[in-house]
Amino acid sequence: MIIEQRTYTLLPGKLPEFLNIYEELGLPIQLRILGNLIAAMTTEVGPLNQYIHLWGYESMADREARRAKLAVDPDWPTYLATAAPMFQSMKSKICVPARYSPVR
């Protein structure tokens, strides 16, 4: 298993609006296509105005296939057009759970 950590830094004051838009428009599409949402979080200490989610995949090939499906989903551009103007930056990390991790 691999875990993708995506971090979105929102423009100041936009996090509450983004969360509403994501929950309504983005999350249903991603749950249908990406499937394995491990966590969805916001920051309280450290860099602020951040939304972080963790998605689990069987492999890099699984991730690539699912992300390719997401990119061509007909509803995805509507979500992006609404949410992307609120992004200040985006970052993605691929992590591999340690053999003793409770998330496998």
Side-chain angles (χ1 to χ4, degrees), residues 42-50:
T42 60
T43 54
E44 287 291 324
V45 176
L48 299 176
N49 302 307
Q50 289 190 333

Side-chain angles (χ1 to χ4, degrees), residues 85-103:
M86 292 184 258
F87 297 164
Q88 187 171 32
S89 68
M90 301 183 320
K91 187 187 294 187
S92 180
K93 288 183 185 179
I94 301 295
C95 305
V96 178
R99 68 177 179 268
Y100 49 82
S101 173
V103 175

Side-chain angles (χ1 to χ4, degrees), residues 48-94:
L48 299 176
N49 302 307
Q50 289 190 333
Y51 172 72
I52 301 161
H53 51 198
L54 305 176
W55 293 92
Y57 301 97
E58 292 299 316
S59 63
M60 284 298 289
D62 179 42
R63 178 191 173 274
E64 290 169 9
R66 290 175 183 272
R67 298 287 312 172
K69 283 183 186 177
L70 182 63
V72 298
D73 184 276
D75 296 324
W76 192 240
T78 301
Y79 161 69
L80 286 180
T82 307
M86 292 184 258
F87 297 164
Q88 187 171 32
S89 68
M90 301 183 320
K91 187 187 294 187
S92 180
K93 288 183 185 179
I94 301 295

